[in-house]
Amino acid sequence: ILSEQVYYQSGFRMPYVRAHGLYTGMAYAPSNLNEILVWRAPLFMYSTTRCAMDRFMQGIPEYPIWFKFMEEQESISYRDVAKHLAVVLLPWDHALMTFYELYSARMPLLLPAAEWMWRFLYQRGQLSVGERMY
């Protein structure tokens, strides 16, 4: 985002290097082929999404995919994350290191559509740092 901001303000395109999560040593190796991990998020939408998904999945018990929602204080190793079929990520910030870590590991990521992305990013204030909007 900073590179785009500089371009917008100056007309100059700055080179940049994307963040990577190579230090995790994680590589996509799914063994839980019927389980999709839903990464926890400090958003109101996380709990409501969880409730809606639970109700939806109750209506189709024979569906072959199960969504595992991470708990508030739950910690999971990178090795265990890589075993899931995919990860649902409800972003709460415009530059989540979690995104780069998962992306670098070639994890399939399920993300909201662009119009919902803006709603999530600004749900907690300006770029989710808790500041009031102008």
Side-chain angles (χ1 to χ4, degrees), residues 41 43-54 69 90:
L43 299 171
F44 174 71
M45 290 296 293
Y46 183 77
S47 55
T48 55
T49 300
R50 181 179 192 163
C51 181
M53 288 295 295
D54 284 346
F69 283 77
L90 303 174

Side-chain angles (χ1 to χ4, degrees), residues 24-36:
T24 66
M26 177 174 44
Y28 182 55
S31 59
N32 300 343
L33 298 178
N34 64 339
E35 190 172 276
I36 293 176

Side-chain angles (χ1 to χ4, degrees), residues 68-82:
K68 181 197 182 313
F69 283 77
M70 289 181 69
E71 300 298 332
E72 177 84 23
Q73 300 298 321
E74 185 178 359
S75 182
I76 185 169
S77 71
Y78 292 118
R79 177 176 291 168
D80 287 340
V81 171

Side-chain angles (χ1 to χ4, degrees), residues 85-105:
L85 182 62
V87 173
V88 173
L89 189 60
L90 303 174
W92 60 94
D93 199 289
H94 68 284
L96 287 178
M97 199 59 210
T98 301
F99 172 81
Y100 298 115
E101 291 167 346
L102 298 172
Y103 187 81
S104 295

